[in-house]
Structures are given as structure tokens and as C-alpha cells.
Amino acid sequence: RRKSVVGFSLDFLLFDVFGAMYYMAFTWSLFFSNKLHDLYYDTFLDRQYRDRPPLPTKVNDLALTCHALVAVLVMALQCRFYNTGDQAVNWLAKLMVQLSFLGTGILSLLSAVGVLSWVWCLVGIGLWQSLFTALRYIPQIYLNRQRAATSGFSIYMAILQTIGGVCSIMQMVLDAIDQKSVSDFKGNLPKVLFGAEVTIMSLVVLF
């Protein structure tokens, strides 16, 4: 066994950890908060669903966020105890995470004083996850290019993420066909972007 994470970008991991945390906050809040259900309906849903508004998040979305967060935390522990070589987290990646804290704080404040709806605050949090999902692959692709090798980065992870991204988009397409509405796409933009970004960027890594 290698007991080494050399070749696995620590910037990728940083974006992955906080992206998973933001996505969990978005998904679980929207699934369990009755107040957010009402605000979501008023903002996104078609009038035909006034009696039975469908939720944009499903039970499998909750399971995905739990699995994703546990998986990235396990990888973070490996990076803490295994050999990382001369790799370190880039200052720009740290800055992006700090900016996300600031942006989330501003959105929360504007929602608290009534300038924004809490739904838009929640969507903003979800979009931070989407941004981190897109950004996380860039340092890994650069590292692979610099080393002219992919050792240290599991190719199976990229394959599984590609399959997951495609299935995520397909679920939303089937829901839209069943409901005869695209309201889920409008109300769950972070999931749409997540599925598209994971699929495209994983294919870039693979090929």
C-alpha cells in the first residue's frame, strides 16, 4: 500500500470539502424546512402545483450529500496522516474559501433584514458549491499535466462521478417529464450545475 497522497491535489480536496458542506446545507435545509418550502413555491413553482407542490430535493439527494461529505472527510484524514510530498494548499484556494464565508455571511445578513428572501440566500449557498465543483478540477488537471501522470488520483473516482453526474441530470429530466414542468430545474440550479460540471470535468480528467 502506498500510504501516500502524492499526486492528489490538496486544492481539489479543499474545494471538495467545503463544496460538500455547502451542498449539504442547501439540500437539507430545503428538504426539511416548511418555511423554505413555502418560499420556494412562491418563487419557483408553477401555479398548477398550488395544492401539492413538489420538492426540488429528494431523499436520494440527502443520501448523496451525506456520502459525499463523509468520503471527502476520510480523504482529508488521509492527507493529514499520509505522505503529501512537497504539496501544499495554494493561497488562492484558501482565498476562495474565505470569500465564500464572506459571501454567505452577506447573503444571510441581507435575508435576515428582509432585503432578500431566504430562498435566494439558500440558492446562493448552493451556487458556492457549484463554483467549488467547477474549480476543484482545475488544480488537479494542472497537477496531472505538470507531472505528466495521474498517479495519486483515482481514475475510478472520475468514472463514478461521471456516471453519477449523468444519472443526476437524467433524474431531473424524468421528473420534468412526469410533472410536465421545468420548475425543478429553476428551483434546484445547484443540482443542475453539479451534474453538468461533474460530468464534463470528469471526462476531461479521463481523456
Side-chain angles (χ1 to χ4, degrees), residues 71-198:
V72 296
L73 289 178
V74 169
M75 288 191 291
L77 284 175
Q78 289 183 319
C79 291
R80 172 65 178 84
F81 294 108
Y82 292 167
N83 176 37
T84 60
D86 59 353
Q87 296 177 165
V89 177
N90 188 278
W91 67 270
L92 192 56
K94 294 179 182 178
L95 177 62
M96 289 299 302
V97 171
Q98 292 167 353
L99 287 175
S100 76
F101 293 157
L102 178 62
T104 301
I106 292 173
L107 286 173
S108 300
L109 179 61
L110 292 175
S111 299
V113 299
V115 175
L116 286 179
S117 166
W118 280 106
V119 164
W120 289 112
C121 175
L122 201 60
V123 169
I125 291 173
L127 290 178
W128 276 115
Q129 178 270 336
S130 301
L131 177 62
F132 286 166
T133 299
L135 289 177
R136 68 177 179 169
Y137 288 94
I138 296 175
Q140 185 64 56
I141 291 171
Y142 175 77
L143 183 62
N144 291 349
R145 174 72 176 177
Q146 190 179 43
R147 298 171 68 239
T150 58
S151 58
F153 182 79
S154 174
I155 201 70
Y156 297 110
M157 181 170 69
I159 293 172
L160 291 173
Q161 287 183 336
T162 302
I163 295 171
V166 171
C167 290
S168 179
I169 295 297
M170 286 303 301
Q171 179 197 16
M172 299 193 76
V173 170
L174 292 175
D175 285 342
I177 294 172
D178 179 60
Q179 298 167 6
K180 297 181 175 61
S181 171
V182 294
S183 57
D184 272 13
F185 282 89
K186 295 186 293 183
N188 201 349
L189 185 58
K191 182 176 179 179
V192 177
L193 293 176
F194 175 76
E197 290 166 351
V198 164

Side-chain angles (χ1 to χ4, degrees), residues 15 27 35 38 43-44 69 71 92 115 185 193 196:
F15 288 138
T27 303
K35 178 180 178 180
D38 296 336
T43 305
F44 295 111
L69 186 58
L92 192 56
V115 175
F185 282 89
L193 293 176

